[in-house]
């Protein structure tokens, strides 16, 4: 599992500790894509309306797989939250 979390940290997909409401997944994905957390959450809800049900599987998986900021700093010390590609 640490290899997967290290890869996610290297890619900049890190759960937000301070801006997250439930698990910080939307805030972390939004940060990676250069979006504010609220825009990322809005897109998540819009995606839920277009493809109902799939997000209820994707969100918990990302919650488990995406490292927190503290874990990312331990697993991949040079990982920093990135904005954009």
């Amino acid at each position: 599992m640490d290899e997967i979390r290290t890869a996610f940290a290297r890619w900049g997909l890190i759960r937000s500790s301070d801006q997250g409401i439930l698990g910080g997944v939307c805030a972390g994905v939004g940060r990676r894509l250069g979006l504010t957390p609220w825009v990322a959450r809005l897109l998540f809800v819009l995606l839920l309306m277009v493809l109902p049900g799939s997000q209820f599987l994707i969100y918990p998986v990302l919650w488990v797989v995406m490292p927190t900021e503290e874990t990312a700093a331990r697993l991949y010390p040079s990982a920093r939250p990135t904005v954009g590609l």
Side-chain angles (χ1 to χ4, degrees):
M1 183 67 90
D2 282 345
E3 295 90 15
I4 295 171
R5 289 187 175 154
T6 303
F8 270 65
R10 196 174 324 124
W11 295 331
L13 286 170
I14 300 169
R15 286 191 293 135
S16 177
S17 301
D18 56 344
Q19 295 180 340
I21 290 180
L22 185 60
V25 173
C26 286
V29 171
R31 180 188 306 158
R32 175 64 178 107
L33 297 175
L35 304 170
T36 64
W38 285 106
V39 172
R41 290 178 191 115
L42 178 64
L43 289 175
F44 182 79
V45 169
L46 290 175
L47 190 62
L48 181 63
M49 290 180 194
V50 173
L51 300 169
S54 62
Q55 293 75 10
F56 292 117
L57 177 64
I58 293 170
Y59 194 92
V61 168
L62 286 177
W63 193 345
V64 170
V65 174
M66 283 177 66
T68 61
E69 292 169 345
E70 296 82 18
T71 306
R74 181 178 50 82
L75 291 174
Y76 191 67
S78 63
R80 288 188 170 64
T82 57
V83 178
L85 294 172

